[in-house]
Amino acid sequence: MKIHGRTLGLKKSQTRAVLRLYHRRVPAEEPVSVRLARELASLSSEIGRRLGVLVDRRGRIRRVALGAADRIELPPLERESEVDSRLAGLRWITTRIDGGIDGILRAEISRLIRHRLDMILQLDVEDEEPARIWRAHILPPNPENRLVEVGEPFRPHELPADFPELMKALEDELERKAPVSRSVRERERAVLAVIGPDGLALETAQAELLELAKTSGAQVVGVVSQRRERPDGRTVLGRGKLEQLGLSVLRARADLVIFDSELSPSQVRNLGDAIDCKLIDRTQLILDIFAQRAATHDGKLAVELARWKYLMPRLVGGGKVLSRLGGGIGGNRGLGETKLELDRRRISDRIRHLESRMERSVVQRNTLRAKRRRSEVPVVALVGYTNAGKSTLFNQLTGSSREARSQMFSTLELAKRRLELTGSRVAVVTDTVGFIRDLPPNLQSVFRATLEELHEADLLVHVADLSRPGVARQIDTVRALLTETDLEGVPRLLVLNKADRFEDPSEAVPLAIALDGMPISALDPGDVRGVLDEIEARLFGDQRPRGND
């Protein structure tokens, strides 16, 4: 037996009195006995702190906890193995000594839902007595979408004696309306958590994370967003939004939460204490997509290297942290089953081995590029934000049948084809991996071949999706990445794809003029011919350039 929570400063007599609570029993038909309610109120008043107990359905007290005057933490739960139900088989009885607004505290409601407790009972203490007792319990799915029933407060001598019947009725209804199991649902159900400094940034980030989640195979069942300049250092979201996120997870029966910002190990721990759900961040989500899409030997090596570099700092001291990172979407595709058994030295050895193999691939690519330079054939590289339509334009320019899907990172491998121009002129056109904002350093290895190829290009054709609300930001992201990799000196042509998606075609023209680009549809042969002419003009100087990037 032990007292959970804040025990510092307790007198020996108070410690003994609190520990004696473990010997109390609650009648099976009552949610709390009059004797226990009065003893909790008296002890809580004497100590000057909130006091709570977890009681099982046999009326035994399984946990005793002490908090501060205004708050208390729920002690660790141990689900009753003999209770075959959808509820925890435990109820949380706690005191409140700070007065304040009438009603059950929001934090208690959150605990009730998150841990699927049988019931929450809050004793409002006045003059060392339980003046009012509030109770709340979970509701089964209902047309009003209400999660909790909060009853009217009652006094100790008015204690209802319907506890067993209420629990049985609740469990029968919860079992009858249980959601479809994951094996039948197939896809993981995800809630997205997004922050941004303003409305446009939030809208853009939310739309992008939604698209990434769908690309990975998740079923998005909810979104929680918050305006803030930077993530909270402990929990990313503020306290109120974090509670809202927990409620959204429970309401939607979600399997995982996907955060738009990268999570540190401490944030994973703190969030894990608040949300009983698997947590992954944007980096893990992108890595998961890469693992699904990597087809070549070099691509698979690059994805594995990126994964280990991401996981390496998170392996220190981290059983619970790592448990939040494994399985399903954002899990460990391609890494095998032994990740948790590897120590830091073995992982470091694996990273060095992968880096060595990647370097050998670099030497081979350099050899091929040297041969191409000797042939003096100009190189055109298609660059741009992911899902801008680069592969579609690549196919139309070269007559290829490279897979082009309306999904993020549908292309992870470089492709090169001969580009026939007028007369006997030819060039080599390269399709590259799409860029994305806030590219984490761990993912640089996946883009290494693309960046190497761009340094050999005579012309960069920057493809952007004109139909996207955040197209200007995406263009700026690509330009910034090109500048960071010392590519600002390579000539560029800005091609604004998907101009045919505007309901009013006249809207595309002024937007293209404002962006100083060339509006096209990669599916229109006439537009593709125009791009070919422009490429030839840039490479051989036959015409006056237009649409500078």
Side-chain angles (χ1 to χ4, degrees), residues 17 177 180 203 240 259 325 339 353 377 380 422 427-428 466-467 530:
K177 296 185 177 180
V180 179
E203 181 183 352
F259 284 83
L325 306 179
K339 174 176 69 63
H353 174 69
V377 176
V380 179
T422 58
V428 172
L466 186 63
S467 67

Side-chain angles (χ1 to χ4, degrees), residues 475-494:
I475 290 172
D476 289 342
T477 294
V478 175
R479 286 173 173 166
L481 286 168
L482 293 176
T483 300
E484 288 172 12
T485 49
D486 300 323
L487 288 163
E488 63 270 15
V490 182
R492 304 179 204 171
L493 167 64
L494 179 60

Side-chain angles (χ1 to χ4, degrees), residues 6 45 67 82 120 126 128 140 222 233 255 268 351 369 398 412 417 426 435 481 486 527:
R6 302 185 174 213
S45 296
E82 68 269 22
I120 290 280
E126 294 178 5
E128 301 185 8
D255 302 299
V268 173
I351 288 174
R369 278 196 293 270
T398 63
L412 279 188
R417 296 290 186 275
V426 296
F435 292 133
L481 286 168
D486 300 323
D527 288 351

Side-chain angles (χ1 to χ4, degrees), residues 35 102 189 222 241 289 307 410 543:
R35 179 181 178 183
D102 258 3
R189 295 164 63 84
K241 284 293 181 179
I289 295 170
R307 276 196 180 279
S410 61
Q543 299 178 14

